[in-house]
């Protein structure tokens, strides 16, 4: 039994449901990384709600709904310039899971002054999924991890592969949920034509600084 108060338990539930305002959500993300009891409570809420998502059949909303959302969030069409949500829904075959990640990573994705790059990595058996969004203006990558956690004593590690170069580690991924990570300046120019890959490594990441574990999933970064 953990020592969480009822309002902490409710906070974990709100985080999983995506109802927290931006600042509170970011505070919850930081708490997940530092408070094991709270992180376990978030995982419990995720385990309750994940099966429900599998029962939902996607339904395309009428065009008037997209228009109303655009106007409410971004202002009248004259100010926004284009149908953002309609475009995102069809751009580059983005998956429903990835679009959900865009909406729940804690910050609006537009306006952006630099290119946005996305990658949706799924394991061959569909049990592990990682969505990544890279903002070239800020140099920040946001990731959303879903599906099965790595085996006990292991972590998933994210790598960037540019051409024939040796893969470079971007760090250990959260076992579940979302995280934001700054990308070192030396690596940023490589991302425009790169592939992201996930491997299963010893706890804490590969001690040798090179990928040693089995490849879990990989996918190219695409510009949107």
């Amino acid at each position: 039994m953990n020592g969480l108060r009822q309002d902490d338990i409710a906070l974990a539930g709100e985080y999983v449901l995506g109802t927290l305002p931006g600042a509170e959500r970011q505070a919850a993300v930081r708490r997940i990384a530092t408070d094991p009891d709270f992180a376990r409570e978030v995982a419990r809420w995720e385990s309750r709600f994940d099966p429900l998502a599998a029962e939902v059949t996607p339904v395309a909303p009428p065009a008037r709904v997209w228009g109303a959302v655009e106007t409410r969030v971004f202002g009248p069409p004259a100010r926004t310039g284009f149908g953002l949500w309609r475009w995102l829904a069809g751009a580059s075959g983005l998956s429903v899971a990835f679009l959900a990640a865009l909406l729940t990573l804690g910050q609006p994705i537009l306006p952006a002054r630099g290119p946005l790059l996305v990658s949706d990595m799924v394991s061959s058996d569909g049990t592990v999924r990682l969505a990544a969004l890279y903002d070239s203006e800020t140099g920040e990558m946001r990731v959303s991890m879903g599906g099965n956690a790595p085996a006990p004593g292991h972590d998933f590690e994210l790598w960037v592969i540019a051409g024939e170069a040796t893969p470079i580690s971007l760090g250990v991924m959260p076992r579940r949920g979302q995280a934001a990570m700054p990308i070192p300046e030396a690596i940023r120019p490589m991302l425009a034509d790169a592939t992201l890959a996930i491997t299963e490594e010893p706890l804490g990441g590969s001690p040798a600084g090179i990928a040693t574990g089995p490849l879990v999933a990989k996918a190219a970064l695409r510009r949107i």
Side-chain angles (χ1 to χ4, degrees):
M1 181 73 177
N2 62 50
L4 294 178
R5 300 172 301 175
Q6 285 300 316
D7 55 349
D8 292 325
I9 295 172
L11 177 67
E14 291 181 74
Y15 171 82
V16 172
L17 287 171
T19 59
L20 292 176
E24 292 182 33
R25 183 171 184 84
Q26 292 302 317
V29 170
R30 292 190 293 270
R31 186 172 176 184
I32 290 170
T34 59
D35 184 340
D37 284 342
F38 185 71
R40 282 191 288 270
E41 187 61 32
V42 167
R44 277 192 284 270
W45 278 100
E46 288 176 332
S47 68
R48 295 173 191 147
F49 286 115
D50 280 353
L52 298 179
E55 300 175 8
V56 176
T57 301
V59 177
R64 65 179 183 277
V65 174
W66 288 124
V69 171
E70 291 165 11
T71 300
R72 183 172 180 180
V73 177
F74 298 104
R79 288 165 52 194
T80 60
F82 61 94
L84 168 67
W85 300 108
R86 282 193 297 272
W87 177 79
L88 275 177
S92 304
L94 294 181
S95 68
V96 172
F98 185 74
L99 287 172
L102 293 182
L103 296 173
T104 58
L105 283 172
Q107 302 178 32
I109 66 169
L110 289 180
R113 289 171 292 190
L116 293 170
L117 303 176
V118 300
S119 182
D120 191 16
M121 290 154 278
V122 185
S123 62
S124 58
D125 60 3
T127 60
V128 177
R129 184 171 216 137
L130 188 145
L133 171 68
Y134 174 67
D135 184 340
S136 63
E137 173 65 25
T138 63
E140 181 184 77
M141 182 174 289
R142 284 176 271 160
V143 297
S144 179
M145 196 83 209
N148 293 348
H154 292 78
D155 275 322
F156 289 139
E157 191 163 358
L158 182 64
W159 305 82
V160 58
I161 307 170
E164 300 298 320
T166 301
I168 299 172
S169 174
L170 296 180
V172 172
M173 294 295 94
R175 300 182 78 82
R176 294 293 298 271
Q178 296 85 37
M181 62 175 79
I183 301 300
E185 289 191 18
I187 298 177
R188 294 176 190 179
M190 306 177 186
L191 297 181
D193 299 299
T195 293
L196 295 184
I198 314 166
T199 60
E200 188 171 303
E201 302 291 344
L203 198 64
S206 171
I210 60 173
T212 60
L215 177 68
V216 177
K218 68 176 182 178
L221 275 164
R222 308 189 305 276
R223 181 170 176 167
I224 61 172

